[in-house]
Amino acid sequence: MKLTAEQIVQNWNDLIKVIDDNFEGERKDKLKAMYMDMEERMCMQPASSFDHYHNAFEGGYVDHVLRVCRNSLKVYDLWKDLGMIMEDIDRETLLFTALHH
């Protein structure tokens, strides 16, 4: 897979939007500062340096993290809809974990 420059920029903007929309206070401020400091490096990073691993292409790291975030939220919402006990985890903690898995 190969991402266009526009897709890489859009993915980065989507990643920052995940932070803006789902975090608050000091955690949000620190996450944004860290990600903005590493923007140039992170935007273009592959998820793996091995060609046969997932997302081993330019921009693959951010693409992968966004997929993990989206799918984690889908599972969270499904479990909640099914009546699972969710008192030990909240969306912010889930997304923090997904961002940094």
Side-chain angles (χ1 to χ4, degrees):
M1 180 174 185
K2 183 173 168 90
L3 298 177
T4 65
E6 292 81 16
Q7 288 171 311
I8 291 171
V9 169
Q10 185 60 55
N11 280 347
W12 180 257
N13 292 335
D14 289 347
L15 181 68
I16 297 304
K17 185 169 175 25
V18 167
I19 296 168
D20 282 336
D21 292 351
N22 294 284
F23 296 91
E24 297 179 352
E26 185 178 5
R27 181 181 257 184
K28 178 179 179 175
D29 295 341
K30 287 185 175 188
L31 282 171
K32 290 259 317 236
M34 179 184 76
Y35 277 84
M36 298 313 288
D37 183 55
M38 298 190 309
E39 178 178 7
E40 283 187 40
R41 290 175 280 176
M42 288 181 72
C43 276
M44 299 304 291
Q45 282 297 107
S48 175
S49 60
F50 296 106
D51 289 341
H52 57 282
Y53 283 19
H54 66 281
N55 287 62
F57 49 83
E58 287 184 343
Y61 174 76
V62 173
D63 182 74
H64 171 72
V65 168
L66 286 171
R67 290 172 194 268
V68 171
C69 288
R70 278 193 298 270
N71 289 320
S72 295
L73 288 174
K74 287 178 184 179
V75 171
Y76 177 87
D77 290 339
L78 175 63
W79 284 16
K80 198 169 184 179
D81 289 346
L82 291 171
M84 303 296 285
I85 298 170
M86 304 294 287
E87 59 195 38
D88 291 337
I89 186 116
D90 57 47
R91 291 173 73 86
E92 184 177 307
T93 303
L94 176 71
L95 282 172
F96 186 85
T97 305
L99 284 170
H100 303 106
H101 75 283

